[in-house]
Amino acid sequence: MAFESLGERLSGIFKKLRSRGRLGEKDIQEAMREVRLALLEADVNFKVVKDFCARTAERCKGADVLESLTPGQMVVKIVHEQLVELMGGANDGALKLAVSPKPPTVVMLAGLQGAGKTTNGAKLAGYFKRQGKRPLLVACDVYRPAAIKQLQVVGEQLGVPVFEMGQTDPVNIAAEGVKHAQKHGNDLVFLDTAGRLHIDDTLMEELNRIKKAVSPNEILLAVDAMTGQDAVNAAQTFNERLGIDGILLTKLDGDSRGGAALSARAVTGKPIKFCGVGEKLDQIEPFYPDRMASRILGMGDVLTLIEKAEQAIDLKKAEQMEKNLRAGRFTLNDYLSQIGQLRGMGSMNDIMGMIPGINKGALRDAKFDERSMNRTEAIVLSMTPGERENPAILNSSRKRRIAAGSGTKVEDINRLLKQFDMMKSLAKQMAGGKVPKNLRGLLG
Ligand SMILES: Nc1nc2c(ncn2[C@@H]2O[C@H](COP(=O)(O)OP(=O)(O)OP(=O)(O)O)[C@@H](O)[C@H]2O)c(=O)[nH]1
Ligand SMILES: [Mg+2]
């Protein structure tokens, strides 16, 4: 798959960061230098890399580290956001094709020779046929008899009709193809155009004449993810001389370095709408920048963890708790809300399992025993508010009542109170000093 080595490089950089408690400006600078090298090595356009790193470093400096994340995780989060941005932003993904108010909608495919216009145009036709559309493929590549035949073969495999007029004028074929669609109830037309090894005036003129003749609703540029910077330059030229509406990224399943894919959107400013992910005719997908960024970072698990942490942790509450901790005013109520927040993140063992470098086998011996967490929660919930604020008032009759209420034993309550005392004195020691950023230390 494309992006594999880039993903590996980035993971390596972040792994180093994640193991550090605090991040200074120097750490970030060094990480950004490595990210820059990794991107350049992945063949991302140098100007795109420069902008990317500048923006990311800026965001890192200005960012407040979320309560529940280590600074390293925070950097991963920011790089992820920036990658999503680079590829079109979260809402840019899975864009629909423009739809003509008066059918048919006309989509013109353009691109260099071998970029994947014919196959992916057909794949798209098949994709929309499965969604209930009635597509028509139009053979405007007349320079090789084999090109028409190729379109007919894939059309037949997909059960999509193909309009052709042999090796005649492609502009006329396009216009007639659209008329044919109108007459036959085809609501979606894909124009398969000719490619050239290099961009030349003849090709551009022809494409522009087709454009003028049929006013396509979408001009999609097929960009071969395997071809690196050449593809980026070509995309830029196509955009300048023809005007494109979106990018159809092909051959993403190949083991390319992926840089072109990352640059194409940034350089043209046009969104990637679909991607081809294999030779088979159903191997086309809508393009989602956020999913792609996660895949590039190869850290789906870490990102899921970050997401969960963000959802579950009420920042204000966390701040209040930190204040209480510093003042040595940490109560059983705080303890309870800590447990609640952790619970919101899902099973503790699941969460630990997501942190890289933690051996799942060893988790069974870990202190994060879900059952004891449940017990603790039940005990605290069985206390009155007054008892939670001031556990010193817990005499043996109160303890018996709480044990009965929580289905535990008085020993369990004593153990909990002892743990809580230890934590409180720890908190006092830390008061004025640094409080652990993550919740782990508080669980004892
Ligand atoms: N692995 C893989 N191969 C692809 C993909 N898309 C296209 N191909 C292959 O790339 C080659 C070229 O694809 P075409 O669709 O013929 O390209 P084209 O742009 O129409 O080429 P010309 O008409 O010659 O300009 C074919 O062998 C396709 O099977 C893809 O997403 N993955
Ligand atoms: Mg072709």
Side-chain angles (χ1 to χ4, degrees), residues 323-385:
K323 255 190 218 144
N324 287 351
L325 254 176
R326 284 185 196 282
R329 270 192 285 112
F330 186 74
T331 71
L332 279 165
N333 269 328
D334 296 322
Y335 200 25
L336 194 65
S337 85
Q338 290 260 297
I339 291 173
Q341 290 192 352
L342 280 168
R343 184 71 37 69
M345 289 173 71
S347 146
M348 202 57 217
N349 283 346
D350 283 355
I351 290 165
M352 297 300 286
M354 279 190 258
I355 300 171
I358 287 197
N359 175 331
K360 293 206 185 192
L363 273 179
R364 253 163 265 133
D365 310 316
K367 290 205 181 109
F368 298 98
D369 175 359
E370 206 120 353
R371 271 193 10 240
S372 96
M373 214 155 87
N374 290 342
R375 205 158 45 223
T376 303
E377 192 176 39
I379 292 172
V380 181
L381 282 172
S382 297
M383 295 178 184
T384 64

Coordinates of all heavy atoms in Angstrom, one line a residue, residues 323-385:
K323 N -6.9 21.9 40.6 CA -6.8 23.0 41.6 C -7.0 22.4 43.0 O -6.2 22.7 43.9 CB -7.9 24.0 41.4 CG -7.4 25.3 40.8 CD -8.5 26.4 40.8 CE -8.4 27.2 39.5 NZ -9.7 27.6 39.0
N324 N -8.0 21.5 43.1 CA -8.2 20.9 44.4 C -7.0 20.1 44.9 O -6.6 20.1 46.0 CB -9.4 19.9 44.3 CG -10.7 20.7 44.2 OD1 -10.7 21.9 44.4 ND2 -11.8 20.0 44.0
L325 N -6.4 19.4 43.9 CA -5.3 18.6 44.2 C -4.1 19.4 44.7 O -3.5 19.1 45.7 CB -4.8 17.9 42.9 CG -5.1 16.4 42.8 CD1 -4.6 15.9 41.4 CD2 -4.4 15.6 43.9
R326 N -3.9 20.5 44.0 CA -2.8 21.4 44.4 C -3.1 22.0 45.8 O -2.2 22.1 46.6 CB -2.7 22.6 43.5 CG -2.1 22.3 42.2 CD -1.9 23.5 41.3 NE -1.6 23.2 40.0 CZ -0.4 22.8 39.5 NH1 0.6 22.7 40.4 NH2 -0.2 22.5 38.3
A327 N -4.3 22.2 46.1 CA -4.7 22.8 47.4 C -4.8 21.7 48.5 O -5.1 21.9 49.6 CB -6.0 23.5 47.3
G328 N -4.5 20.4 48.1 CA -4.7 19.3 49.0 C -6.1 19.0 49.4 O -6.4 18.4 50.4
R329 N -7.0 19.5 48.5 CA -8.4 19.4 48.8 C -9.0 18.3 47.9 O -10.0 18.5 47.2 CB -9.2 20.7 48.6 CG -9.3 21.5 49.9 CD -10.2 22.6 49.7 NE -9.7 23.7 48.9 CZ -10.2 24.0 47.6 NH1 -11.1 23.3 47.1 NH2 -9.6 25.0 47.0
F330 N -8.4 17.2 47.8 CA -8.9 16.1 46.9 C -9.9 15.3 47.7 O -9.5 14.7 48.7 CB -7.7 15.3 46.4 CG -8.1 14.3 45.4 CD1 -8.4 14.7 44.1 CD2 -8.1 13.0 45.7 CE1 -8.8 13.8 43.1 CE2 -8.4 12.0 44.7 CZ -8.8 12.4 43.4
T331 N -11.1 15.2 47.3 CA -12.1 14.4 48.1 C -12.5 13.2 47.4 O -12.2 12.9 46.2 CB -13.4 15.3 48.3 OG1 -14.1 15.4 47.1 CG2 -13.1 16.6 48.9
L332 N -13.3 12.4 48.1 CA -13.8 11.2 47.5 C -14.7 11.5 46.3 O -14.9 10.7 45.4 CB -14.6 10.3 48.5 CG -13.6 9.5 49.4 CD1 -14.4 9.0 50.6 CD2 -13.0 8.3 48.7
N333 N -15.3 12.6 46.3 CA -16.2 13.0 45.1 C -15.3 13.2 43.9 O -15.7 12.8 42.8 CB -16.8 14.4 45.4 CG -18.2 14.2 46.0 OD1 -18.9 13.2 45.7 ND2 -18.6 15.0 46.9
D334 N -14.1 13.8 44.1 CA -13.2 13.9 43.0 C -12.8 12.5 42.5 O -12.7 12.2 41.3 CB -11.9 14.7 43.4 CG -12.3 16.1 43.7 OD1 -13.1 16.7 43.1 OD2 -11.7 16.6 44.7
Y335 N -12.5 11.6 43.4 CA -12.1 10.3 43.1 C -13.2 9.6 42.3 O -12.9 9.0 41.3 CB -12.0 9.5 44.5 CG -11.1 8.3 44.4 CD1 -10.2 8.1 43.4 CD2 -11.3 7.3 45.3 CE1 -9.4 6.9 43.4 CE2 -10.5 6.1 45.3 CZ -9.6 5.9 44.3 OH -8.9 4.8 44.3
L336 N -14.4 9.8 42.7 CA -15.6 9.3 42.0 C -15.7 9.8 40.5 O -15.9 9.0 39.6 CB -16.9 9.6 42.7 CG -18.1 8.8 42.3 CD1 -18.0 7.3 42.7 CD2 -19.3 9.4 43.1
S337 N -15.5 11.1 40.4 CA -15.6 11.6 39.0 C -14.4 11.1 38.1 O -14.6 11.0 36.9 CB -15.8 13.1 39.0 OG -14.5 13.7 39.1
Q338 N -13.3 10.9 38.8 CA -12.2 10.3 38.0 C -12.6 9.0 37.4 O -12.3 8.6 36.3 CB -11.0 10.1 38.9 CG -10.3 11.4 39.4 CD -9.1 11.7 38.6 OE1 -8.2 10.9 38.6 NE2 -9.1 12.7 37.8
I339 N -13.2 8.2 38.3 CA -13.6 6.8 37.9 C -14.6 6.9 36.7 O -14.5 6.3 35.7 CB -14.1 6.0 39.1 CG1 -13.0 5.7 40.0 CG2 -14.8 4.7 38.6 CD1 -13.4 5.1 41.3
G340 N -15.5 7.9 36.9 CA -16.6 8.0 35.9 C -16.0 8.4 34.6 O -16.4 7.9 33.5
Q341 N -15.0 9.3 34.6 CA -14.4 9.7 33.4 C -13.6 8.6 32.7 O -13.7 8.4 31.5 CB -13.4 10.9 33.6 CG -14.1 12.1 34.0 CD -13.2 13.3 34.0 OE1 -12.0 13.2 33.9 NE2 -13.7 14.5 34.2
L342 N -12.9 7.8 33.5 CA -12.2 6.7 32.9 C -13.2 5.7 32.3 O -13.0 5.1 31.3 CB -11.4 6.0 34.0 CG -10.1 6.7 34.3 CD1 -9.5 6.2 35.6 CD2 -9.1 6.6 33.1
R343 N -14.3 5.5 33.0 CA -15.3 4.6 32.5 C -15.8 5.1 31.2 O -16.0 4.3 30.3 CB -16.4 4.6 33.6 CG -17.6 3.8 33.4 CD -17.4 2.3 33.6 NE -16.6 1.7 34.6 CZ -16.7 1.8 35.9 NH1 -17.7 2.5 36.5 NH2 -15.9 1.2 36.7
G344 N -16.0 6.4 31.0 CA -16.5 7.0 29.8 C -15.5 6.7 28.6 O -15.9 6.7 27.4
M345 N -14.3 6.4 28.9 CA -13.4 6.0 27.9 C -13.4 4.6 27.4 O -12.7 4.2 26.6 CB -11.9 6.4 28.3 CG -11.7 7.8 28.4 SD -10.1 8.2 29.2 CE -9.0 7.7 27.9
G346 N -14.3 3.8 28.1 CA -14.4 2.4 27.7 C -13.6 1.6 28.7 O -13.1 2.1 29.7
S347 N -13.5 0.3 28.4 CA -12.9 -0.6 29.3 C -11.4 -0.2 29.5 O -10.7 0.2 28.6 CB -12.9 -2.0 28.8 OG -11.8 -2.7 29.1
M348 N -11.0 -0.1 30.8 CA -9.6 0.2 31.1 C -8.6 -0.6 30.4 O -7.6 -0.2 29.8 CB -9.4 0.0 32.6 CG -8.3 0.8 33.2 SD -8.5 2.6 32.8 CE -6.9 3.0 32.6
N349 N -8.9 -1.9 30.3 CA -8.0 -2.8 29.6 C -7.9 -2.5 28.1 O -6.9 -2.6 27.5 CB -8.4 -4.3 29.8 CG -8.0 -4.8 31.2 OD1 -7.2 -4.1 31.9 ND2 -8.5 -5.9 31.6
D350 N -9.0 -2.1 27.5 CA -9.0 -1.7 26.1 C -8.1 -0.5 25.9 O -7.3 -0.5 25.0 CB -10.4 -1.3 25.7 CG -11.3 -2.5 25.4 OD1 -10.8 -3.6 25.5 OD2 -12.5 -2.3 25.2
I351 N -8.2 0.4 26.8 CA -7.5 1.6 26.7 C -6.0 1.4 26.8 O -5.2 1.8 26.0 CB -7.9 2.7 27.7 CG1 -9.3 3.1 27.3 CG2 -7.0 3.8 27.8 CD1 -10.1 3.9 28.4
M352 N -5.6 0.6 27.8 CA -4.2 0.3 28.0 C -3.7 -0.5 26.8 O -2.6 -0.3 26.4 CB -4.0 -0.6 29.2 CG -4.5 0.0 30.5 SD -3.5 1.5 30.9 CE -2.0 0.8 31.4
G353 N -4.6 -1.3 26.2 CA -4.1 -2.1 25.0 C -3.9 -1.2 23.8 O -3.1 -1.6 22.9
M354 N -4.4 0.0 23.8 CA -4.2 0.9 22.7 C -2.9 1.6 22.7 O -2.5 2.2 21.8 CB -5.4 1.9 22.6 CG -6.6 1.3 22.0 SD -7.8 2.6 21.7 CE -8.9 2.4 23.0
I355 N -2.4 1.7 23.9 CA -1.1 2.5 24.1 C 0.0 1.6 23.5 O 0.2 0.5 24.0 CB -0.9 2.9 25.5 CG1 -2.1 3.7 26.0 CG2 0.4 3.6 25.7 CD1 -2.1 4.0 27.5
P356 N 0.7 2.1 22.5 CA 1.8 1.3 21.9 C 2.8 1.0 23.0 O 3.1 1.7 23.9 CB 2.4 2.3 20.9 CG 1.4 3.4 20.7 CD 0.6 3.5 22.0
G357 N 3.4 -0.2 22.8 CA 4.5 -0.6 23.7 C 4.0 -1.3 24.9 O 4.8 -1.8 25.7
I358 N 2.7 -1.4 25.1 CA 2.2 -2.1 26.3 C 1.8 -3.5 25.8 O 1.0 -3.6 24.9 CB 1.0 -1.3 26.9 CG1 1.5 -0.1 27.7 CG2 0.3 -2.3 27.9 CD1 0.6 0.5 28.7
N359 N 2.3 -4.4 26.5 CA 2.1 -5.8 26.1 C 0.8 -6.2 26.7 O 0.5 -6.1 27.9 CB 3.3 -6.6 26.7 CG 3.1 -8.1 26.5 OD1 2.0 -8.6 26.4 ND2 4.2 -8.8 26.4
K360 N -0.1 -6.7 25.8 CA -1.4 -7.1 26.2 C -1.4 -8.2 27.2 O -2.3 -8.3 28.1 CB -2.3 -7.4 25.1 CG -2.6 -6.2 24.2 CD -3.9 -6.3 23.4 CE -3.9 -5.1 22.5 NZ -5.0 -4.7 21.9
G361 N -0.5 -9.1 27.1 CA -0.4 -10.2 28.0 C -0.2 -9.8 29.4 O -0.8 -10.3 30.4
A362 N 0.7 -8.8 29.5 CA 1.1 -8.3 30.8 C -0.1 -7.5 31.5 O -0.1 -7.2 32.7 CB 2.3 -7.4 30.7
L363 N -1.1 -7.2 30.7 CA -2.2 -6.4 31.2 C -2.9 -7.1 32.4 O -3.5 -6.5 33.3 CB -3.2 -6.1 30.1 CG -2.9 -4.8 29.3 CD1 -3.9 -4.7 28.3 CD2 -2.8 -3.6 30.2
R364 N -3.0 -8.4 32.3 CA -3.7 -9.2 33.3 C -3.2 -8.9 34.7 O -3.9 -8.9 35.7 CB -3.7 -10.7 33.0 CG -5.0 -11.1 32.4 CD -4.9 -12.5 31.7 NE -4.7 -12.3 30.3 CZ -3.8 -13.0 29.6 NH1 -3.0 -13.8 30.2 NH2 -3.7 -12.8 28.3
D365 N -1.9 -8.6 34.7 CA -1.2 -8.4 36.0 C -1.3 -6.9 36.4 O -0.9 -6.5 37.5 CB 0.2 -8.8 36.0 CG 0.3 -10.2 35.5 OD1 -0.5 -11.1 35.9 OD2 1.2 -10.5 34.6
A366 N -1.7 -6.1 35.5 CA -1.7 -4.7 35.8 C -2.6 -4.3 36.9 O -3.5 -5.0 37.2 CB -2.1 -3.9 34.5
K367 N -2.4 -3.1 37.4 CA -3.2 -2.7 38.6 C -4.6 -2.2 38.2 O -5.4 -2.0 39.1 CB -2.5 -1.5 39.3 CG -1.2 -2.0 40.0 CD -0.8 -1.1 41.1 CE 0.5 -1.6 41.8 NZ 1.6 -0.7 41.5
F368 N -4.8 -2.0 36.9 CA -6.1 -1.5 36.5 C -7.1 -2.6 36.5 O -7.5 -3.1 35.4 CB -6.0 -0.8 35.1 CG -5.0 0.4 35.2 CD1 -3.7 0.2 34.8 CD2 -5.4 1.6 35.7 CE1 -2.8 1.2 34.8 CE2 -4.6 2.6 35.8 CZ -3.2 2.5 35.3
D369 N -7.5 -2.9 37.6 CA -8.5 -4.0 37.8 C -9.9 -3.5 37.7 O -10.3 -2.7 38.6 CB -8.2 -4.7 39.1 CG -9.2 -5.8 39.4 OD1 -10.1 -6.0 38.6 OD2 -9.0 -6.5 40.4
E370 N -10.6 -3.8 36.7 CA -11.9 -3.2 36.5 C -12.8 -3.5 37.6 O -13.6 -2.7 38.0 CB -12.5 -3.8 35.2 CG -13.4 -2.9 34.5 CD -13.0 -2.4 33.1 OE1 -11.9 -2.8 32.7 OE2 -13.8 -1.8 32.5
R371 N -12.7 -4.8 38.2 CA -13.6 -5.1 39.2 C -13.4 -4.3 40.5 O -14.3 -3.9 41.1 CB -13.4 -6.6 39.5 CG -14.3 -7.5 38.7 CD -14.5 -8.9 39.1 NE -14.0 -9.3 40.3 CZ -13.0 -10.3 40.5 NH1 -12.5 -10.8 39.4 NH2 -12.6 -10.6 41.7
S372 N -12.1 -4.0 40.7 CA -11.9 -3.2 42.0 C -12.3 -1.8 41.7 O -12.7 -1.1 42.7 CB -10.4 -3.3 42.4 OG -9.7 -2.2 41.9
M373 N -12.3 -1.4 40.4 CA -12.8 0.0 40.1 C -14.3 0.0 40.4 O -14.8 1.0 40.9 CB -12.4 0.3 38.7 CG -12.1 1.8 38.5 SD -11.1 2.0 37.0 CE -12.3 2.1 35.7
N374 N -15.0 -1.0 39.9 CA -16.4 -1.1 40.1 C -16.7 -1.0 41.6 O -17.7 -0.4 42.1 CB -17.0 -2.4 39.5 CG -17.0 -2.3 38.0 OD1 -16.9 -1.3 37.4 ND2 -17.1 -3.5 37.4
R375 N -15.9 -1.8 42.4 CA -16.2 -1.9 43.8 C -16.0 -0.5 44.5 O -16.9 0.0 45.3 CB -15.2 -2.9 44.4 CG -15.7 -3.5 45.7 CD -15.0 -4.8 46.0 NE -13.6 -4.8 45.8 CZ -12.9 -5.8 45.2 NH1 -13.5 -6.8 44.8 NH2 -11.6 -5.7 45.1
T376 N -14.9 0.1 44.1 CA -14.6 1.5 44.6 C -15.8 2.4 44.3 O -16.3 3.2 45.2 CB -13.3 2.0 44.0 OG1 -12.3 1.1 44.3 CG2 -13.0 3.4 44.6
E377 N -16.3 2.3 43.1 CA -17.3 3.2 42.7 C -18.6 3.0 43.6 O -19.2 3.9 44.1 CB -17.6 3.1 41.2 CG -18.5 4.2 40.7 CD -18.7 4.0 39.2 OE1 -18.9 2.8 38.7 OE2 -18.7 5.0 38.5
A378 N -18.9 1.7 43.7 CA -20.1 1.3 44.5 C -20.0 1.8 45.9 O -21.0 2.4 46.5 CB -20.3 -0.2 44.5
I379 N -18.8 1.7 46.5 CA -18.6 2.1 47.9 C -18.8 3.6 48.0 O -19.6 4.1 48.8 CB -17.2 1.8 48.4 CG1 -17.1 0.2 48.5 CG2 -16.9 2.5 49.7 CD1 -15.7 -0.2 48.8
V380 N -18.2 4.4 47.1 CA -18.3 5.9 47.2 C -19.7 6.3 47.0 O -20.3 7.2 47.7 CB -17.3 6.6 46.3 CG1 -17.5 8.1 46.4 CG2 -15.9 6.2 46.6
L381 N -20.4 5.6 46.1 CA -21.8 6.0 45.8 C -22.7 5.7 47.0 O -23.8 6.3 47.1 CB -22.3 5.2 44.5 CG -21.8 5.8 43.2 CD1 -22.2 4.9 42.0 CD2 -22.4 7.2 43.0
S382 N -22.3 4.8 47.8 CA -23.2 4.5 49.0 C -22.9 5.4 50.1 O -23.6 5.3 51.2 CB -22.9 3.0 49.4 OG -23.3 2.1 48.4
M383 N -22.0 6.3 50.0 CA -21.8 7.3 51.0 C -22.6 8.5 50.9 O -23.1 8.8 49.8 CB -20.3 7.8 51.0 CG -19.3 6.7 51.3 SD -17.6 7.4 51.1 CE -16.6 5.9 51.4
T384 N -22.9 9.2 52.0 CA -23.6 10.4 51.9 C -22.7 11.5 51.4 O -21.4 11.3 51.5 CB -24.2 10.9 53.2 OG1 -23.0 11.1 54.1 CG2 -25.0 9.8 53.9
P385 N -23.2 12.6 50.8 CA -22.3 13.7 50.4 C -21.3 14.1 51.5 O -20.2 14.4 51.2 CB -23.2 14.8 50.0 CG -24.5 14.1 49.6 CD -24.6 12.9 50.5

